[in-house]
Amino acid sequence: MDEMTQLRELRADAPVPDRGALAPGRRRLTEAAASGGRARRLRADWRVTAVGAAAAITVAAVLGTQLGDAAAPARSGPASTSGTLRLDSPAEVLNRAADALEKQPAGPEPRDDQWIYTRTAQAASQGGQNGSSLGPVTYDPDSWVPYDNSAAAKNGKDDDYRTARQVYRAANALPDDPAQLLAKIRSFYPTGHPAESPPEGKAQHSFRAIGLMAQAYPVAPAALARIYRAMATIPGVHVTDHLVKDAAGREAIAITRKEDGGHEQREILLSPNDFSYAGMRFVVAEDYAYTLSDGKVERQTFKFKAGQILTSEARIEAAVVDAKGEKP
């Protein structure tokens, strides 16, 4: 059995890559080609990265390149208490966030000739047979994307890439009723063709899709308020009972849902100050172990502990600017 077969069998039960999260990478690749091939580090898809964390461990075992087990596994522990905000139910947190957002004035929609500036930080798990420690934080190059990025937009229901203008307008058109809103968002971010990947369960599809819309920039405050109220109604959604740390070391509220059929949970991170989108993480939801063995490789067990952070990304800054290269 070759190494790639071992990697595939290690996480054969893992969720397939979700194409919506790959969209930023496709966008960056397009931008790199347009700029004469300048190298840009592509943002990893969240499911791919979760699988990659385990795959990195297997590669270390198969090839004999352990990264060292002196570092303790990175765990999702308390950052601090949240003051007057009670983190005892997603409805409590998300409805309060929605109340606050509804009081914010709505600015004008960006012009088609304006740009969306973003800066992000991310970290991914490193390999180790007895767990995985979170690697160093890296900061992506500053990004500028046209608000009306029609040249990069693609047609077809299987492509989750949407321009900032498309998302802004779709969010504004979302209904108040949570069930109807979730149906609209699932249609806006479909699961993809079953021949390429199995369709998601309704609740998981809703949480993934609503996370994509929540992380878009800009989204009008009233629209984001409706999104948060609907998010609280998705089956299986929880809130972590303490503030966590995002990739940039900032405190954040973690809205979570365990992936169907997997051992990890997807976390949408919100700022406890203004309830804006702060980032996303993939975290091990329950202790589990996997044993790798065949006729050529020594039998080895790889352990994962609840709370291990597999991937973490933080949005450091986002703004509408008038020209590429301009910073807020």
Side-chain angles (χ1 to χ4, degrees):
M1 182 182 296
D2 61 31
E3 290 87 348
M4 293 308 298
T5 300
Q6 291 166 342
L7 293 181
R8 286 192 292 269
E9 292 186 355
L10 170 65
R11 297 303 306 279
D13 62 337
V16 296
D18 76 85
R19 293 142 46 78
L22 282 170
R26 291 197 298 270
R27 182 180 70 240
R28 293 185 181 191
L29 186 59
T30 301
E31 291 174 354
S35 62
R38 179 170 53 90
R40 302 183 65 137
R41 184 163 57 85
L42 304 184
R43 180 184 306 171
D45 163 66
W46 289 99
R47 288 186 189 168
V48 170
T49 307
V51 174
I57 296 172
T58 308
V59 169
V62 172
L63 302 181
T65 56
Q66 292 286 358
L67 298 179
D69 52 11
R75 303 295 292 276
S76 178
S80 75
T81 59
S82 59
T84 59
L85 179 63
R86 294 171 54 190
L87 301 178
D88 34 9
S89 80
E92 165 77 18
V93 172
L94 290 167
N95 285 319
R96 178 167 173 180
D99 290 342
L101 287 166
E102 286 172 343
K103 297 175 183 177
Q104 295 183 13
E109 179 182 354
R111 303 188 310 270
D112 287 352
D113 64 342
Q114 289 186 302
W115 294 72
I116 307 303
Y117 166 78
T118 55
R119 186 167 185 260
T120 59
Q122 57 186 311
S125 178
Q126 295 178 317
Q129 187 175 349
N130 296 318
S132 54
S133 57
L134 204 62
V137 176
T138 58
Y139 291 84
D140 288 347
D142 292 353
S143 171
W144 288 268
V145 177
Y147 176 65
D148 177 23
N149 198 21
S150 300
K154 296 183 182 294
N155 296 320
K157 64 180 181 180
D158 292 339
D159 188 351
D160 277 347
Y161 176 71
R162 302 290 182 267
T163 68
R165 185 176 71 169
Q166 286 176 317
V167 178
Y168 184 92
R169 294 181 177 181
N172 274 353
L174 290 172
D176 291 328
D177 179 75
Q180 294 177 15
L181 183 148
L182 293 175
K184 288 283 189 182
I185 288 182
R186 289 194 301 271
S187 176
F188 192 69
Y189 292 114
T191 59
H193 195 284
E196 300 175 7
S197 60
E200 298 163 289
K202 185 177 179 180
Q204 180 158 306
H205 185 183
S206 293
F207 193 61
R208 176 184 64 83
I210 209 167
L212 288 171
M213 188 163 279
Q215 76 182 45
Y217 186 89
V219 175
L224 192 56
R226 293 194 295 274
I227 288 169
Y228 284 173
R229 292 192 196 281
M231 188 185 299
T233 70
I234 299 173
V237 167
H238 301 279
V239 59
T240 302
D241 64 1
H242 55 265
L243 296 181
V244 303
K245 293 283 191 179
D246 69 10
R250 304 172 304 184
E251 294 184 336
I253 300 166
I255 308 298
T256 75
R257 187 180 185 279
K258 186 173 178 290
E259 294 287 280
D260 295 348
H263 301 284
E264 299 88 16
Q265 66 187 29
R266 181 189 298 260
E267 299 186 348
I268 298 171
L269 306 183
L270 309 180
S271 166
N273 300 315
D274 60 6
F275 301 109
S276 61
Y277 174 83
M280 185 177 288
R281 305 195 310 179
F282 246 84
V283 176
V284 176
E286 59 195 11
D287 292 359
Y288 74 100
Y290 183 88
T291 299
L292 176 68
S293 177
D294 67 12
K296 298 179 181 179
V297 179
E298 181 182 354
R299 186 179 182 88
Q300 297 180 75
T301 298
F302 302 93
K303 299 178 181 179
F304 298 86
K305 294 291 186 181
Q308 265 179 242
I309 303 168
L310 298 176
T311 59
S312 182
E313 180 178 276
R315 185 166 71 194
I316 306 301
E317 191 169 11
V320 178
V321 296
D322 289 331
K324 184 175 183 179
E326 179 183 333
K327 294 185 180 182

